[in-house]
Amino acid sequence: MIFMANSLKRSGNLVVSISKRCYSTTTISQQQQQQSSSAGNATVNLFTAINQALHIALETDPRAYLFGEDVGFGGVFRCTTGLADRFGKDRVFNTPLCEQGIVGFGIGLAAMGNRAIAEIQFADYIFPAFDQIVNEAAKFRYRSGNQFNCGGLTIRTPYGAVGHGGHYHSQSPEAFFCHVPGLKVVIPRSPQQAKGLLLACIRDPNPTIFFEPKWLYRLAVEEVPDHDYMLPLSTAEVIREGSDITLVGWGAQLAVMEQACADAEKDGISCELIDLKTLIPWDKETVEASVRKTGKLLVSHEAPVTGGFGAEIAASITESCFLRLEAPIARVCGLDTPFPLVFEPFYMPTKNKILDAIKTTVNY
Amino acid sequence: MAIWFRRSKDITIHFKKYNLGLLGFFTQNFKSSSFFHQFGNSSTSPTSFNGNFRIPKYILFPNSPPLFSFRRFESVEAEKQIDSEDQEHDKQALDFPGGRVTFTSHLRFLSESPEKRIHCYRILDDNGQPILGSNFRQVSKEVAVKMYNHMVTLQILDTIFYEAQRQGRISFYVTTNGEEAINIASAAALTMDDIIFPQYREPGVLLWRGFTLQEFANQCFGNKSDYGKGRQMPIHYGSKKLNYFTVSSTIATQLPQAVGAAYSLKMDKKNACAVTYFGDGGTSEGDFHAALNFAAVTEAPVIFICRNNGWAISTPTSEQFRSDGVVVKGQAYGIRSIRVDGNDTLAIYSAVCEAREMAIREHRPVLIEALTYRVGHHSTSDDSTKYRSANEIEHWKMARDPVTRYRKWIGKKGWWTDNEETELRSNVRKEIMQAIQVAEKVEKPPLMDLFTDVYDCPPPNLCEQEGLLRETVKKHPQDYPTDVPV
C-alpha cells in the first residue's frame, strides 16, 4: 500500500490512502488509515466524494441535470448512486448509447441556461463526441461574439490505467482536449480534491472536461468535508516541498510520483511535487516559481509521451526558465504504443522509472 | 416447397428452444435437409460458414445476382398454408420490451423499400391553384403578403450579396435560391419564443424574425457591428435577441443541440419548441441519427426540418442514401414524420403549424422532409455546372420556382399587384445597396476581440499572447490589415 498523507496533510489537512498500484512494497499502518475524523468530515473514497458533489450540485441548482449511459441506476462506477431517486428521472436519466448525442444534447441544454452534467462512461469512448466538444462546445461563445455560451456544460469521464483495462478501458486522452481553446480540462488526485474541483467545474461559466482517475475510485480514501465547497480552477498546488528537483503531474499519477519522491528522499534528494489539477488553462506561474528554485524539472503522465501535455509543460518551462535549468527536462510517461493489457506493467511510468529519472536529472 | 416451409416451422421452434443465433440456425438445420443438398455448394463442407450461409448472402447483397431465390419456390398453395399458419401463430406471442410481438412461420424479410414512395403533401399546384379538397391552415392576407415580401427580399438579398462576393467586396456567400418557401413559410408558422438551430441555408428565418438588412450586411462584411465580432465567415449569422443560434459550418452538429434545448423548454413548461434545419447530406451524419433517437427517447418538443434539395455540394441524393428520402427515417426512430412539397409556401406553412402544435402539446419530436432544389451553387466557392446539367437547374428555376408559384396564388386572391411588385423590388434593392455601402465603411472589430470570449475571462496565456502580438504589430505594421484597430 502507498501512503501519500504526509504531504497532503500539509496542504489541506487530509488523509489519503491509496492501495497498492503494483509498484510499491511499502505498507500503510492501520493507525494511519484510521486517522482523524473530525466533525463534519467523513473518510470516503473517490467515487463517494464525486457522488457527494453531484448531490450538492443538483440540490443547489434546480436547473442542474445529470445524464449519460447507465447513470440512472447509479452508474457503472457507482458515482451517480441515489441521484435519480432523489431528484427524479427528469433530472437524472439514462441516455441512448451515443456519445456525440450525449455531448450535443448537453450543449443544447447548457445553452438554454442549465447546468448540464454529462457522463461519458469511459474516456476511451469520448471520441465519437470529439466534434461536438472541439467544434461546438469549445467555440460556442467565441463564434457568437458572446451572444450564446454553453458554459454550463461539464463532461465527467473516468480515465487512466486500472490494471486490467487493456486498450479501451485505460487511456488518458487529456492532451487531445488541451489543444482546444475554449475548454477547461481538470483532473483531481484524491477524494477531497475531486469533490471541490468537480463542483467548481460544474459552476464554472465555461465548458469543462473533468477526467476522473478510475483507479482511485475505490482505492483513494480520505477525509472529505461534508459541506459544499469549491477548489479554484487553473491553480496548481505544491503538495510536497523540496529543493533539488520539481516534479509535475496530475490525477492518479501523483500517487506514483509521491512514492518516487519518498524513495528519493532516502537517497538524500529533496523533491518538490506539484499537482497541476487544471491542464488548460494551466498555472504556469506555480511551476515556473518552483523550477526557478530547484533548477530541474520532471513531468510524468500515463498518456503516451509524444504529444502528451508534458511536452507543452517542458517547452513552456524551457522558454521561461532556460537560464535557470541545470539539466534537460525529464519526461516519464506512457510509451508510444496503444495501451496494452499484459504489458501494462511495462508500459506504465512506474515509481522506479521516475526515481531513475530523478537521479539522472539531479546528477546531470 | 411445402416441405421446406414445414421444416421452417420446426426451425422456429428449434430456434426458440435452444436460443440459437442466426448462424446457428442455418448450420443446425440446413446441412441435413434434402433442400440443402440439392442447391447447396457441393464443394463446401456442410459445416463451413460459406456453405451454410448461402441464403442470407443473397439477402445481404441484394444487388448481386441471387444464387437462388426464395420466391422461386413459393406456390399459391404454400402461401395459403402460410396464411393459416400465421393465424395460428398470431395467437402466440412474445412479450418483449416495446410491446407484444406476434410470431409468424413465414420466413420473410422486411422489404428494403415500400412499394410506393411516401406521398408529398402539397396545396398549391404548379400554377399556384389550390388543389381541390386540400386540407390546410388558412393564411390571413396580412401574413400572406408579408411572406411574399420576405421571399422577394431574400431573393434580392441573395442576388446582390452574391454579386458583392463576385466583386471581391465580401469573401464568401451562400444563396438560398429555390428554397425561399421553406425559409419564410416555416418561420411564419413559428413564434418568436421557438428556438432556432439553423444550418446555413436558412437566412430567411432570421429575416422573418426581424434581422435587418443592415445586420445581414454587417455580418457578411465582418465589421465591428457584426454580433460575431468578425470571427466567422460571411453568412454565419446569429442573434440572441431573435432566438437564432449562431451558425457553424459543421454539418448536423446543431441537431442534438436542438434536442437538448427542446428538453429544457419542456422542463420549463414553455409554450415553445426548438426547430432545427439541415440538408439531405446532413442526414448521413451521425449527429442526425443521434438527435432523432435522443429526441424520441427524451420526448423533446423539437421539429426537424430537412431541406432535401437533391445535392450535397456535388453529391446527389442517389449517392447519399438508398432509403425513400429522409421522411422514412423518422418512423424507424419512433418519430411522427411528413413529406412536404418544399416549394409550396402554403404546404410548408400548414405542416410546420401542425408540427409545432403536436410537438408542444404532446411533447414529441416531428420530422419534416421538404422536397426542394438548390437552384444556386453550393456556395461562391462552387461551380455546380461541373456536376449537374444546366437543363436540370433551369427546369427547377423556371418551372418549379416557389416564389413564382406563390405569387400566382396571392395574385389570384387579389392581394398583390404588378405595381406593388415593382415598387417592392425597387425599394428592397435600394435598401440592400445602402446597407452594403454602410457596412463596408464601418471599421473592423478591434484587435482585442481576437482574444475575448474564448473563455468568460481571458486566462494569463491569452493576455501574454495579446501583449506579444501588439509588440509585433508595432514592429511590423506592414504585415497587418490597416482597417483593424489595434
Side-chain angles (χ1 to χ4, degrees):
Chain A
M1 292 232 200
I2 301 157
F3 193 61
M4 50 190 283
N6 287 339
S7 63
L8 290 167
K9 260 162 100 181
R10 211 174 304 138
S11 53
N13 192 26
L14 311 171
V15 179
V16 177
S17 65
I18 295 166
S19 302
K20 192 175 174 187
R21 284 191 66 190
C22 311
Y23 315 119
S24 175
T25 52
T26 53
T27 54
I28 180 174
S29 74
Q30 286 294 320
Q31 294 149 304
Q32 280 174 317
Q33 230 176 4
Q34 291 165 2
Q35 239 171 1
S36 68
S37 181
S38 48
N41 296 0
T43 303
V44 301
N45 63 21
L46 195 135
F47 84 68
T48 307
I50 284 168
N51 184 253
Q52 284 182 11
L54 295 173
H55 272 279
I56 291 168
L58 277 112
E59 188 185 359
T60 53
D61 188 349
R63 299 194 70 90
Y65 294 87
L66 178 67
F67 50 92
E69 293 157 20
D70 307 305
V71 304
F73 88 110
V76 296
F77 290 108
R78 312 311 299 150
C79 292
T80 56
T81 302
L83 290 158
D85 287 342
R86 185 171 166 202
F87 299 102
K89 285 187 168 183
D90 286 339
R91 291 181 64 202
V92 180
F93 49 93
N94 287 340
T95 63
L97 205 163
C98 178
E99 290 75 15
Q100 66 196 97
I102 292 169
V103 175
F105 181 94
I107 292 169
L109 196 57
M112 297 294 284
N114 303 290
R115 303 234 172 267
I117 310 166
E119 176 174 316
I120 299 294
Q121 201 163 75
F122 284 87
D124 309 69
Y125 305 133
I126 204 166
F127 301 106
F130 203 61
D131 189 36
Q132 284 288 349
I133 296 171
V134 173
N135 277 328
E136 295 294 312
K139 297 171 178 60
F140 215 83
R141 185 194 298 275
Y142 192 77
R143 76 183 183 205
S144 73
N146 203 23
Q147 292 188 91
F148 300 104
N149 74 79
C150 62
L153 175 68
T154 300
I155 301 167
R156 297 176 39 241
T157 187
Y159 87 98
V162 72
H164 54 269
H167 295 349
Y168 305 114
H169 298 86
S170 309
Q171 293 174 80
S172 300
E174 69 273 7
F176 290 105
F177 302 97
C178 292
H179 204 59
V180 186
L183 297 179
K184 291 192 176 182
V185 175
V186 178
I187 309 183
R189 69 171 184 268
S190 73
Q192 193 259 8
Q193 292 287 311
K195 181 174 174 181
L197 288 171
L198 179 55
L199 280 165
C201 286
I202 291 169
R203 292 161 179 171
D204 189 84
N206 299 286
T208 306
I209 307 182
F210 187 77
F211 288 101
E212 298 170 2
K214 63 175 163 302
W215 202 326
L216 305 189
Y217 271 145
R218 287 169 190 278
L219 297 184
V221 178
E222 114 185 297
E223 203 172 284
V224 173
D226 291 338
H227 66 268
D228 180 350
Y229 66 92
M230 290 188 282
L231 294 171
L233 302 185
S234 292
T235 305
E237 182 184 344
V238 178
I239 57 175
R240 177 192 180 102
E241 281 179 20
S243 54
D244 295 330
I245 182 169
T246 301
L247 278 76
V248 176
W250 47 87
Q253 187 61 11
L254 286 166
V256 183
M257 296 168 81
E258 175 66 24
Q259 295 170 62
C261 292
D263 282 10
E265 198 169 25
K266 290 176 200 156
D267 289 337
I269 302 171
S270 166
C271 299
E272 180 145 304
L273 180 60
I274 295 175
D275 177 3
L276 203 56
K277 300 189 199 182
T278 301
L279 273 65
I280 55 158
W282 65 291
D283 179 2
K284 202 155 82 176
E285 222 173 285
T286 298
V287 179
E288 272 177 26
S290 175
V291 174
R292 287 211 180 89
K293 183 173 76 177
T294 63
K296 295 162 210 92
L297 175 63
L298 180 152
V299 191
S300 180
H301 53 67
E302 281 180 26
V305 63
T306 301
F309 196 66
E312 176 56 37
I313 297 171
S316 289
I317 296 302
T318 307
E319 274 176 353
S320 54
C321 305
F322 181 69
L323 291 175
R324 184 62 194 91
L325 283 171
E326 295 165 13
I329 295 170
R331 288 184 291 162
V332 183
C333 304
L335 305 177
D336 289 335
T337 65
F339 197 102
L341 183 70
V342 298
F343 304 116
E344 180 174 321
F346 299 90
Y347 169 93
M348 291 295 282
T350 52
K351 180 199 74 177
N352 281 330
K353 285 186 187 174
I354 297 169
L355 189 58
D356 288 350
I358 289 173
K359 289 177 183 168
T360 309
T361 305
V362 169
N363 298 322
Y364 185 77
Chain B
M1 204 47 225
I3 296 165
W4 152 236
F5 277 107
R6 276 185 188 287
R7 283 197 61 83
S8 74
K9 188 181 173 187
D10 297 340
I11 289 166
T12 312
I13 292 158
H14 188 85
F15 175 55
K16 202 172 121 191
K17 195 172 168 189
Y18 293 104
N19 195 22
L20 295 168
L22 184 63
L23 182 61
F25 158 113
F26 281 104
T27 54
Q28 288 291 317
N29 295 285
F30 281 20
K31 56 186 175 189
S32 60
S33 74
S34 57
F35 155 84
F36 176 79
H37 288 301
Q38 192 176 350
F39 298 103
N41 185 341
S42 59
S43 66
T44 331
S45 145
T47 50
S48 81
F49 180 89
N50 285 336
N52 293 313
F53 212 63
R54 296 195 73 156
I55 292 170
K57 193 172 171 183
Y58 162 53
I59 304 301
L60 287 171
F61 305 101
N63 291 334
S64 59
L67 295 169
F68 56 83
S69 150
F70 286 119
R71 194 157 288 281
R72 198 169 135 195
F73 302 101
E74 286 182 3
S75 66
V76 176
E77 208 174 75
E79 291 280 4
K80 275 182 189 161
Q81 192 178 349
I82 289 155
D83 287 346
S84 64
E85 280 178 7
D86 269 356
Q87 281 163 12
E88 204 179 295
H89 270 85
D90 281 352
K91 292 171 199 155
Q92 300 174 17
L94 182 66
D95 280 323
F96 203 75
R100 197 165 170 271
V101 180
T102 54
F103 290 112
T104 176
S105 56
H106 195 176
L107 179 56
R108 184 190 281 163
F109 292 80
L110 282 179
S111 168
E112 62 283 354
S113 57
E115 274 181 34
K116 276 187 171 176
R117 294 195 69 179
I118 303 291
H119 293 297
C120 180
Y121 171 65
R122 96 189 309 201
I123 294 164
L124 296 178
D125 68 15
D126 287 344
N127 289 318
Q129 284 283 10
I131 294 158
L132 280 178
S134 53
N135 167 16
F136 67 101
R137 295 285 181 113
Q138 294 301 323
V139 184
S140 69
K141 179 185 171 185
E142 190 198 350
V143 172
V145 170
K146 190 180 167 194
M147 283 201 284
Y148 185 69
N149 263 273
H150 280 77
M151 283 161 76
V152 169
T153 305
L154 186 56
Q155 268 189 334
I156 301 173
L157 188 76
D158 273 349
T159 309
I160 297 177
F161 277 35
Y162 184 81
E163 277 310 309
Q165 193 280 336
R166 284 292 180 247
Q167 292 163 7
R169 294 161 85 181
I170 57 175
S171 58
F172 176 82
Y173 195 69
V174 161
T175 65
T176 307
N177 297 145
E179 298 175 45
E180 294 89 348
I182 299 173
N183 268 252
I184 301 300
S186 66
L190 302 172
T191 74
M192 290 296 286
D193 292 334
D194 298 324
I195 311 284
I196 308 294
F197 283 82
Q199 177 107 24
Y200 45 67
R201 219 180 291 283
E202 302 88 14
V205 179
L206 199 48
L207 183 69
W208 178 269
R209 292 191 159 213
F211 209 61
T212 64
L213 297 174
Q214 192 61 58
E215 287 173 312
F216 278 106
N218 289 339
Q219 199 285 327
C220 287
F221 280 87
N223 64 29
K224 75 168 188 188
S225 301
D226 166 21
Y227 302 125
K229 304 182 185 173
R231 290 166 182 158
Q232 288 209 81
M233 290 167 80
I235 66 100
H236 290 65
Y237 314 111
S239 170
K240 174 84 174 169
K241 191 178 73 184
L242 302 176
N243 279 334
Y244 191 95
F245 273 93
T246 304
V247 172
S248 73
S249 314
T250 45
I251 299 297
T253 48
Q254 72 278 16
L255 271 64
Q257 296 170 12
V259 181
Y263 188 78
S264 179
L265 292 171
K266 183 178 84 165
M267 293 304 291
D268 293 342
K269 300 187 169 55
K270 291 276 171 65
N271 181 24
C273 61
V275 182
T276 184
Y277 295 82
F278 49 100
D280 41 278
T283 68
S284 296
E285 289 283 4
D287 277 334
F288 166 80
H289 300 273
L292 262 67
N293 197 32
F294 270 64
V297 171
T298 59
E299 295 167 356
V302 53
I303 308 177
F304 297 99
I305 302 182
C306 176
R307 299 173 290 93
N308 181 350
N309 66 17
W311 294 93
I313 303 187
S314 72
T315 305
T317 49
S318 61
E319 291 166 21
Q320 196 68 250
F321 40 64
R322 283 296 159 92
S323 54
D324 175 14
V326 176
V327 65
V328 294
K329 298 180 188 194
Q331 194 175 44
Y333 288 106
I335 292 181
R336 204 170 281 174
S337 312
I338 189 169
R339 171 174 280 162
V340 185
D341 180 348
N343 289 9
D344 178 347
T345 307
L346 296 184
I348 290 284
Y349 181 82
S350 287
V352 176
C353 281
E354 200 67 36
R356 183 180 184 277
E357 277 182 17
M358 288 190 298
I360 298 169
R361 195 180 54 223
E362 300 173 35
H363 294 149
R364 61 164 71 245
V366 180
L367 171 65
I368 297 175
E369 180 190 26
L371 302 186
T372 185
Y373 190 79
R374 195 194 77 211
V375 168
H377 305 302
H378 164 69
S379 73
T380 47
S381 310
D382 174 44
D383 172 9
S384 64
T385 57
K386 287 213 162 73
Y387 51 79
R388 58 182 188 177
S389 80
N391 286 344
E392 180 185 306
I393 302 171
E394 270 311 288
H395 172 68
W396 282 88
K397 201 172 175 177
M398 304 313 292
R400 306 204 105 117
D401 178 49
V403 184
T404 311
R405 198 199 303 185
Y406 187 59
R407 165 76 177 84
K408 286 177 185 164
W409 181 69
I410 55 166
K412 279 171 199 151
K413 292 284 259 186
W415 291 349
W416 194 251
T417 63
D418 287 349
N419 283 345
E420 284 170 305
E421 178 89 22
T422 316
E423 199 187 327
L424 171 69
R425 287 188 179 271
S426 144
N427 288 345
V428 169
R429 179 166 281 277
K430 268 183 225 155
E431 270 182 67
I432 297 173
M433 297 301 282
Q434 170 76 9
I436 285 185
Q437 277 165 13
V438 171
E440 220 164 11
K441 285 181 194 133
V442 176
E443 65 181 358
K444 296 292 181 220
L447 185 61
M448 182 187 77
D449 283 345
L450 169 59
F451 297 96
T452 55
D453 306 334
V454 180
Y455 297 92
D456 63 322
C457 302
N461 58 321
L462 283 181
C463 297
E464 186 191 331
Q465 287 167 27
E466 183 176 353
L468 287 170
L469 180 65
R470 286 182 186 282
E471 281 172 31
T472 311
V473 174
K474 248 184 229 164
K475 206 170 157 195
H476 306 286
Q478 73 282 3
D479 290 355
Y480 298 95
T482 51
D483 56 351
V484 175
V486 179

